[in-house]
Amino acid sequence: MVDKERLDILLQEVIQEARALKIPVSSTIEKNVIVNGRPKKRFGCCRKSRNGFEIEVSRFLLDEAGCSEKIVKGVLAHEVLHTCRDCYEHGMLWKSYAGQMNKAYGYQIKRVNSFAEMGMAGREEKLAESRHIRYIIQCKKCGRQYPRQRFTCVMQKIDAYRCQCGGKLEVFRISDS
Ligand SMILES: [Zn+2]
């Protein structure tokens, strides 16, 4: 598990890595990474603060056993890139910087990462159970999951639908318990 002090060090490492590639990350990123215990699905967040930018990670990311430092750094890098000019959204420029970081350092920075990609396979199912979700539509290509409470017409004709990434979908039922 990555603790709070370590997080601040990792943030500085990521900023240096980006600068080494001449990616113009902001010089006004707060030194302390904020850990937020509320989000259940979002891995991190970048906010404009009074003095510049604030980087936040979600507590579950740090608590999950399979989540390595590399993955946490990838989340920090995703957020740090949002501090570049014209990169507050996941536009072309942000994507190109993400590609450069991925290539140089082996990250998997994307607009949206699945739990499986983050070393947390099974988390969607766990969350689903707590929300009475009985079915999950999953993309065969990107792994993205769409939890549903009941069986719907879409699931009946699942081959006619595609994921946002264009991938084919499959449906599975979560066992009753
Ligand atoms: Zn983002």
Side-chain angles (χ1 to χ4, degrees), residues 71-135:
I71 286 172
V72 173
K73 279 181 82 174
V75 172
L76 291 171
H78 175 127
E79 304 308 336
V80 160
L81 295 181
H82 281 309
T83 72
C84 298
R85 214 195 150 103
D86 296 325
C87 286
Y88 209 58
E89 313 277 336
H90 305 103
M92 294 263 284
L93 191 56
W94 181 90
K95 280 192 184 128
S96 119
Y97 291 149
Q100 290 175 45
M101 291 291 280
N102 291 344
K103 197 168 162 216
Y105 306 113
Y107 292 126
Q108 279 198 78
I109 308 168
K110 291 190 204 169
R111 190 177 63 82
V112 184
N113 284 98
S114 69
F115 287 123
E117 284 170 331
M118 306 297 274
M120 298 178 209
R123 182 174 169 83
E124 188 67 56
E125 286 86 337
K126 258 192 279 168
L127 285 177
E129 270 172 42
S130 64
R131 283 178 293 142
H132 304 288
I133 298 295
R134 305 246 278 299
Y135 298 91

Side-chain angles (χ1 to χ4, degrees), residues 15-142:
I15 291 172
Q16 294 314 319
E17 286 172 356
R19 293 218 171 110
L21 300 178
K22 307 246 185 320
I23 296 174
V25 298
S26 170
S27 56
T28 58
I29 302 172
E30 311 260 357
K31 300 252 178 300
N32 294 313
V33 177
I34 295 166
V35 178
N36 187 345
R38 274 166 295 154
K40 301 259 184 283
K41 306 182 96 171
R42 178 179 81 200
F43 301 112
C45 177
C46 174
R47 281 200 196 89
K48 286 179 177 137
S49 68
R50 208 145 44 96
N51 306 314
F53 292 96
E54 227 169 44
I55 306 292
E56 177 187 295
V57 298
S58 303
R59 184 178 306 283
F60 76 84
L61 178 77
L62 308 178
D63 291 343
E64 288 280 341
C67 192
S68 67
E69 264 194 5
K70 185 81 187 182
I71 286 172
V72 173
K73 279 181 82 174
V75 172
L76 291 171
H78 175 127
E79 304 308 336
V80 160
L81 295 181
H82 281 309
T83 72
C84 298
R85 214 195 150 103
D86 296 325
C87 286
Y88 209 58
E89 313 277 336
H90 305 103
M92 294 263 284
L93 191 56
W94 181 90
K95 280 192 184 128
S96 119
Y97 291 149
Q100 290 175 45
M101 291 291 280
N102 291 344
K103 197 168 162 216
Y105 306 113
Y107 292 126
Q108 279 198 78
I109 308 168
K110 291 190 204 169
R111 190 177 63 82
V112 184
N113 284 98
S114 69
F115 287 123
E117 284 170 331
M118 306 297 274
M120 298 178 209
R123 182 174 169 83
E124 188 67 56
E125 286 86 337
K126 258 192 279 168
L127 285 177
E129 270 172 42
S130 64
R131 283 178 293 142
H132 304 288
I133 298 295
R134 305 246 278 299
Y135 298 91
I136 288 178
I137 302 174
Q138 181 167 319
C139 175
K140 292 182 188 181
K141 196 166 145 203
C142 74

